[in-house]
Amino acid sequence: MDLPIILAGPILRRVDAHRVTVWIATSQPFDMDAKLFKMHDEAEQLEIQCMTEFICLGERLYVYLLTLLPLHKDFPVDTLLGYNLYFKGKSTRMDLGSFGLLNPDNDQSLVYGDLKYPTFYIQKDLNARFLYGSCRKLHGKRDDALAAGDLTLQETYLDLAKRPNALFLLGDQIYADDVAGPLFPILTSLNKLLMGQDEQLGKLDSRVKEKPFHRSLNQINGRQYIMEQFCQFTSSHAHNHLMMFGEYAAMYLLSWGPALWEAIQDQGGLPTFEEQIENEKFYFVFPNSKQFQKEHAAEWIKVRNQYNEDCENLRQALTTLPGIRRLLANIPTYMIFDDHDVTDDWNLSIDWKEKVGHSLLGRHVVTNAITAYWAFQGWGNCPDAFGQIFKSHMKNYFSEFTLESSSYEQWVKCIENYKSWYFVAPTEPKTLFLDTRTQREFDIHPLPVKIGGIIQENIRSPQLVSRQCWKEVSRVLMDSGWKSGSDLTIASPAPLYGIGLIESFLHSYVYPLRSIGIPIHQTLDFEAWKYNGKGFSEFLASVFEWNPSTCFIVSGDVHYASSVQSTVQSKNGQTANIIQFTSSPMHNMSFFGLWGSMLKLTIWFNSMKRKKRNIIRYCDNDYRIQIEEAAHSCPTDHVWKETLRYLATDTGSIITTENNLGLLSISKDSIQNRLLSYRDSEKQELTFGPIPLDSPLTKK
């Protein structure tokens, strides 16, 4: 396969009046440069300095971060700006136009309308308009809602009062544990092409060199046992789990745009099921032998049907990738991980963390995943957060790329010990992104559990952010220039407020069974702040301490979208006004089949009871969160008490489970949430009513 020069990007990353950051990945090394323009009738070039950093991650994988700095005064705000990138090789000099990316007639174009370049603006006085969402699986069902963001920019690219000014990706940008069968051989092939070699995983665990693992490791559906027994992972969808760094890298490249897919199409596209069988690309749990003839035949049918369904879903996803690439090139984008960017259940419990940490192979896979997150997501969020020592460890390991070097252990420890994945995006209002995965606090005290006849002392749900981490987060927030008393947006991968019916079911039944090792799988993720009353209260304590005028929360993770408004009072009389907006999934609809239909009906019935009704609840001194009723009146020594309400859309529902992308509009007087979807190449919209910021629930 001939790799394209541009593997993915450009992606517009951190942007403010002092700097503009652009990310791009190439298959060849270049001296990269950039120009910035003020977009009038004719583009006016601005005087800038371009600082370029890059890391060679593989033989044919180079990731660049270009930082554009003003030479004199700050960049103009609330003004349409454009940029171009330049690629200087030994004997060539190209720009984005050399690849057809500036030609509006090219279906791969990065520009909107008749603009000459990809564009953006630095929002200051104009109202904030944030796109936000989570949970984007490449082979998810139905249409990718992120494509609706592209259509929104296409409609508004010249009208800055309506054009979105930032995109927040709130976790599960890839699904490392849930990889489509047709995609798996492509990823393993790209791993070798990009990196130049395979990782010698047998040096970490010799069992992978033995039968049948030496073959199943690289066969479709061949990794479930390896991930469970060797890596100590708990995902029930780990049949094709990503393991090697080049596989993680390839998944990002295939998810961010169409460039690599064009090379795949030139090779014939996705192989058929029959071709994969003929080439012995499949692993079967039941071998094709006389002893297991009946079981193998049943498995063969199931695997064939799933493979063909995944092929259809992937082909549908490919149609949206040019628009998604264009969107990412034209809007400042900020990203934070959740579990599927690494693996399902990542750091679910202290037991999970210790078991995986004691597996050399499991530890290696997690380190690969987090490093890929840094290279493809985290680096562009806040480049200054990664110092020279951090980047030296990355460069040293990838220059040697062997598991037996001293740079290997330094690389692993560097990733394990890094604590500052949280950051503040320079939006107006500022947006604080929380790391709810690597800075957890685990309670060693047992939790009594009774499920039917089972009586068990169980592991407690973790605090998603430790008390010490909250202190560091506060320092970073204050260092960003944010002032107490002004509005604040918090981006939390897991919602602070969920739908109680779903949370109660998952917390009472699913979480206890999974934590004690019983393999229960469900279509919803279930790690929410509510499951640990102390952790929930620490979140509120930080909000009380910061004292924002209004606290806006954007979140994802849960595979449904909703809006919640709350007024919280501490026992000391402090008041916090919180409005939460959840958008999930962008491309991973989960409510299918009989179970999904029953759950949707139950949610609908539950939502009818909650609509237009205030719910009063409190947290007692044992950190139990209770709804105030006749049987549970609020004690005088409560930790906090709140009044909350679930908000309804223009269709009357408080929840949607379709693929969606949030669009949040914030003015001085009100805030409004919309949910965008993409169907049959058209954008659809579901609207929540505007919320006046002096309404009774939010008024201090």
Side-chain angles (χ1 to χ4, degrees):
M1 182 191 300
D2 292 329
L3 293 176
I5 291 175
I6 298 179
L7 296 172
I11 300 178
L12 192 61
R13 300 306 315 274
R14 188 180 183 92
V15 165
D16 60 34
H18 312 294
R19 71 167 71 188
V20 172
T21 309
V22 184
W23 177 100
I24 193 167
T26 67
S27 61
Q28 300 175 22
F30 292 99
D31 289 330
M32 296 291 300
D33 198 2
K35 291 181 180 179
L36 192 65
F37 304 90
K38 191 174 180 179
M39 305 297 288
H40 301 292
D41 293 336
E42 293 293 329
E44 174 192 345
Q45 185 175 338
L46 300 177
E47 293 187 341
I48 66 166
Q49 178 185 13
C50 181
M51 309 280 290
T52 302
E53 290 187 275
F54 80 97
I55 182 169
C56 176
L57 295 168
E59 190 175 279
R60 302 185 69 186
L61 177 57
Y62 299 83
V63 167
Y64 292 84
L65 203 64
L66 290 78
T67 302
L68 287 57
L69 305 171
L71 275 185
H72 304 297
K73 55 185 180 180
D74 291 347
F75 291 132
V77 298
D78 298 329
T79 302
L80 191 64
L81 303 175
Y83 67 92
N84 196 359
L85 302 185
Y86 298 86
F87 307 74
K88 184 179 179 182
K90 292 181 179 179
S91 58
T92 59
R93 180 176 172 84
M94 300 176 288
D95 71 349
L96 292 175
S98 305
F99 301 95
L101 299 177
L102 304 181
N103 180 358
D105 297 324
N106 184 350
D107 59 7
Q108 303 296 321
S109 175
L110 298 179
V111 301
Y112 290 103
D114 57 358
L115 294 175
K116 293 183 177 181
Y117 305 110
T119 58
F120 65 98
Y121 70 100
I122 303 168
Q123 174 249 350
K124 183 179 181 183
D125 296 324
L126 291 173
N127 293 341
R129 292 175 66 83
F130 303 149
L131 294 170
Y132 69 99
S134 68
C135 306
R136 182 170 172 259
K137 186 167 70 173
L138 199 53
H139 64 289
K141 297 180 186 294
R142 308 268 178 95
D143 287 313
D144 190 339
L146 192 55
D150 173 61
L151 294 185
T152 300
L153 259 69
Q154 182 174 288
E155 295 169 354
T156 62
Y157 64 90
L158 289 178
D159 187 351
L160 302 192
K162 295 181 179 179
R163 176 173 172 162
N165 63 278
L167 169 63
F168 302 153
L169 300 179
L170 301 173
D172 301 342
Q173 277 67 261
I174 63 168
Y175 277 69
D177 57 296
D178 188 352
V179 177
L183 199 56
F184 181 77
I186 294 171
L187 293 167
T188 56
S189 296
L190 285 173
N191 168 60
K192 295 176 183 177
L193 275 173
L194 295 168
M195 306 306 292
Q197 60 178 308
D198 271 338
E199 297 172 17
Q200 301 301 311
L201 301 182
K203 293 180 179 179
L204 297 171
D205 193 323
S206 61
R207 291 175 292 180
V208 299
K209 296 187 291 186
E210 300 174 4
K211 292 182 178 181
F213 310 115
H214 70 296
R215 290 195 65 200
S216 69
L217 182 69
N218 293 305
Q219 288 180 303
I220 300 171
N221 295 344
R223 291 185 176 178
Q224 184 71 43
Y225 190 90
I226 293 171
M227 303 312 297
E228 288 180 351
Q229 302 303 319
F230 300 174
C231 296
Q232 299 298 306
F233 286 10
T234 52
S235 172
S236 61
H237 281 215
H239 308 83
N240 301 310
H241 202 300
L242 306 179
M243 295 182 72
M244 302 181 198
F245 179 84
E247 295 169 0
Y248 277 94
M251 181 63 90
Y252 279 113
L253 298 173
L254 292 170
S255 299
W256 288 155
L260 268 181
W261 284 106
E262 290 184 349
I264 293 167
Q265 294 297 98
D266 290 342
Q267 297 292 311
L270 299 173
T272 66
F273 175 76
E274 289 72 23
E275 288 171 338
Q276 302 284 32
I277 289 290
E278 184 178 346
N279 293 323
E280 298 183 345
K281 294 290 187 180
F282 269 99
Y283 173 81
F284 288 93
V285 174
F286 290 100
N288 188 13
S289 64
K290 186 176 181 179
Q291 180 183 0
F292 296 111
Q293 188 173 9
K294 183 178 179 181
E295 291 87 350
H296 177 80
E299 184 182 2
W300 191 92
I301 293 172
K302 181 180 179 181
V303 167
R304 180 198 61 190
N305 293 343
Q306 185 63 59
Y307 185 92
N308 290 336
E309 180 182 329
D310 287 344
C311 281
E312 288 303 309
N313 290 335
L314 284 169
R315 291 189 183 102
Q316 185 173 4
L318 299 189
T319 63
T320 64
L321 286 177
I324 288 169
R325 183 194 198 186
R326 180 170 66 164
L327 171 67
L328 295 173
N330 285 270
I331 186 168
T333 303
Y334 304 91
M335 316 177 188
I336 191 66
F337 49 50
D338 204 8
D339 57 340
H340 293 286
D341 297 281
V342 176
T343 184
D344 192 17
D345 295 343
W346 178 32
N347 291 343
L348 174 71
S349 65
I350 188 63
D351 186 55
W352 190 100
K353 190 173 182 179
E354 289 179 349
K355 283 184 176 179
V356 173
H358 285 110
S359 161
L360 292 179
L361 190 56
R363 183 185 183 218
H364 177 77
V365 173
V366 169
T367 307
N368 271 338
I370 300 175
T371 303
Y373 166 79
W374 168 74
F376 291 86
Q377 299 194 61
W379 194 8
N381 288 326
C382 187
D384 292 344
F386 305 97
Q388 290 303 318
I389 295 176
F390 181 98
K391 288 180 284 192
S392 292
H393 287 313
M394 300 300 109
K395 292 177 180 179
N396 290 342
Y397 168 63
F398 283 102
S399 66
E400 298 183 11
F401 203 58
T402 171
L403 307 182
E404 297 176 320
S405 65
S406 60
S407 63
Y408 173 77
E409 193 60 31
Q410 291 171 351
W411 165 65
V412 172
K413 288 182 178 178
C414 176
I415 291 295
E416 288 180 341
N417 294 332
Y418 188 76
K419 307 296 184 186
S420 301
W421 297 111
Y422 48 81
F423 64 96
V424 177
T427 54
E428 293 292 339
K430 292 193 184 299
T431 303
L432 171 64
F433 280 72
L434 298 178
D435 166 12
T436 60
R437 283 288 161 185
T438 73
Q439 299 301 301
R440 296 182 165 195
E441 190 168 314
F442 300 99
D443 193 337
I444 63 171
H445 299 96
L447 177 71
V449 173
K450 184 178 185 298
I451 304 175
I454 301 175
I455 296 176
Q456 179 82 34
E457 284 190 325
N458 197 15
I459 299 169
R460 291 181 182 270
S461 304
Q463 295 183 47
L464 300 189
V465 175
S466 70
R467 177 171 291 186
Q468 180 59 39
C469 185
W470 278 119
K471 294 179 181 178
E472 294 300 316
V473 166
S474 290
R475 180 187 59 78
V476 169
L477 177 61
M478 297 307 164
D479 288 348
S480 73
W482 181 84
K483 302 296 183 184
S484 179
S486 57
D487 289 340
L488 175 66
T489 306
I490 298 178
S492 171
L496 187 67
Y497 299 99
I499 299 296
L501 176 73
I502 298 175
E503 290 186 330
S504 298
F505 171 77
L506 296 173
H507 190 234
S508 299
Y509 299 102
V510 176
Y511 185 90
L513 289 172
R514 294 184 75 169
S515 292
I516 62 177
I518 298 175
I520 300 291
H521 180 73
Q522 79 294 323
T523 56
L524 294 167
D525 288 326
F526 54 87
E527 293 175 85
W529 292 91
K530 177 186 173 183
Y531 301 159
N532 187 298
K534 190 174 183 180
F536 190 103
S537 299
E538 290 285 355
F539 191 124
L540 293 180
S542 293
V543 175
F544 286 135
E545 177 188 342
W546 301 331
N547 190 33
S549 176
T550 304
C551 179
F552 310 115
I553 299 175
V554 289
S555 63
D557 180 53
V558 289
H559 295 204
Y560 60 80
S562 65
S563 296
V564 183
Q565 185 177 2
S566 174
T567 298
V568 192
Q569 291 183 320
S570 73
K571 61 183 177 183
N572 298 324
Q574 297 168 288
T575 300
N577 301 320
I578 298 174
I579 312 175
Q580 176 187 278
F581 306 95
T582 301
S583 171
S584 174
M586 282 189 287
H587 193 210
N588 192 16
M589 282 184 62
S590 300
F591 293 89
F592 291 95
L594 178 61
W595 188 90
S597 299
M598 291 177 62
L599 186 55
K600 280 201 285 189
L601 182 62
T602 307
I603 292 169
W604 176 85
F605 179 75
N606 184 260
S607 69
M608 291 301 102
K609 295 193 299 180
R610 291 177 177 237
K611 190 167 58 174
K612 297 182 180 180
R613 182 171 75 89
N614 288 348
I615 299 169
I616 300 174
R617 65 182 191 174
Y618 63 89
C619 180
D620 64 22
N621 268 335
D622 292 323
Y623 293 104
R624 293 175 300 186
I625 300 174
Q626 307 274 10
I627 294 178
E628 187 174 50
E629 298 171 330
H632 296 286
S633 60
C634 181
T636 56
D637 61 347
H638 62 274
V639 179
W640 50 262
K641 183 178 181 179
E642 72 175 342
T643 302
L644 65 90
R645 176 184 292 181
Y646 292 87
L647 308 177
T649 68
D650 50 10
T651 63
S653 174
I654 67 169
I655 186 173
T656 181
T657 59
E658 303 289 321
N659 291 335
N660 65 90
L661 175 70
L663 172 56
L664 191 62
S665 303
I666 306 174
S667 71
K668 294 179 180 179
D669 303 317
S670 67
I671 183 167
Q672 185 166 29
N673 189 38
R674 294 177 175 85
L675 298 173
L676 312 179
S677 59
Y678 182 82
R679 295 179 187 172
D680 301 324
S681 301
E682 295 183 353
K683 184 187 73 170
Q684 298 186 358
E685 207 170 278
L686 193 62
T687 303
F688 291 84
I691 307 169
L693 294 182
D694 61 351
S695 62
L697 271 180
T698 59
K699 189 176 181 180
K700 287 193 175 181

